[in-house]
Amino acid sequence: AHERSAQLQHLAQLGAGLAHETKNPLGIVRGLAQSIGQTEGVPDPVRRQARQIVDEADRTVGQIDGFITLARPQPMNPVPVDLAALYPHLLELLRPEAAARGVSVDHAPAGLRVLADETALRRALLNLMLNALYACESGGHVTLGAEALGGGARLFVQDTGTGIPAALLPQVRDPYVSGRPGGTGLGLSIVDMIAREHGWRLEVHSEEGKGTLVSLEGVAVV
């Protein structure tokens, strides 16, 4: 079992290295396509194709970044994080996307300061918020909240979206499992990894047609 574990770890490192190296030629392809699209006199069909290449390169790089994060997680550096400062900043980042989708967003940080790697926490909450936004139709609502619970804190994202099918719910933490067309299926896997690296728990409660509540539980407060 030890040898098998070491072999799997080695394969994960090789995969992460290959993924990292794949980003370099993709960056070149993206730059060439962007240059073509911005050249004067280029026919409109060619310009559209160049934009499609840029978009596809960006989507693929996003998938590669997600894979690298899962295959080669970074050590956490917990520091005190003031949710009253972090939450409004996250919502400002998401407001343009929320407005475009006709979804309202709000936050309730509950005056808490938590112990967390701030970069990893930002990434986890942004992933959860984006999932919630994409699950909502126009007129939907997303809340980013927190509450003291059991000597620690519970951070949560709640939406009024379509919910997760019951058959899919047990698999939502698995890589490449997504209930959204075009989704990579890496978002919740990354959040789950971040939670475990901190010693937290990722909980997902959802009812199809009524919405979803996703929470990080066992977060230390300071």
Side-chain angles (χ1 to χ4, degrees), residues 12 32 40:
L32 290 171
E40 290 186 16

Side-chain angles (χ1 to χ4, degrees), residues 71-208:
R72 194 165 55 195
Q74 300 297 311
M76 299 293 106
N77 179 35
V79 297
V81 179
D82 185 359
L83 299 185
L86 176 63
Y87 276 19
H89 176 67
L90 295 179
L91 259 64
E92 284 304 310
L93 293 177
L94 292 166
R95 284 195 194 282
E97 180 70 17
R101 301 183 66 85
V103 177
S104 60
V105 293
D106 69 3
H107 66 90
L112 292 174
R113 283 163 52 89
V114 300
L115 194 63
D117 183 295
E118 186 165 4
T119 299
L121 179 59
R122 282 166 51 94
R123 181 168 195 177
L125 293 176
L126 280 172
N127 269 326
L128 295 181
M129 290 288 285
L130 284 170
N131 282 351
L133 283 178
Y134 294 143
C136 289
E137 298 176 350
S138 180
H141 185 77
V142 175
T143 298
L144 173 61
E147 60 183 354
L149 186 68
R154 172 177 176 261
L155 316 185
F156 63 89
V157 175
Q158 186 167 19
D159 67 63
T160 60
T162 55
I164 302 169
L168 188 62
L169 201 52
Q171 308 169 46
V172 291
R173 296 173 179 81
D174 296 343
Y176 305 109
V177 174
S178 176
R180 175 168 58 88
T184 64
L186 291 176
L188 273 183
S189 297
I190 292 172
V191 175
D192 188 44
M193 182 204 71
I194 290 171
R196 286 186 284 105
E197 290 291 319
H198 279 88
W200 307 337
R201 299 186 315 279
L202 173 66
E203 300 288 345
V204 182
H205 302 279
S206 186
E207 188 173 348
E208 198 168 0

Side-chain angles (χ1 to χ4, degrees), residues 22-36 50 53-54 57:
T22 303
K23 289 175 63 177
N24 294 331
L26 269 176
I28 295 172
V29 169
R30 183 191 190 283
L32 290 171
Q34 195 169 35
S35 177
I36 291 170
I53 292 171
V54 170

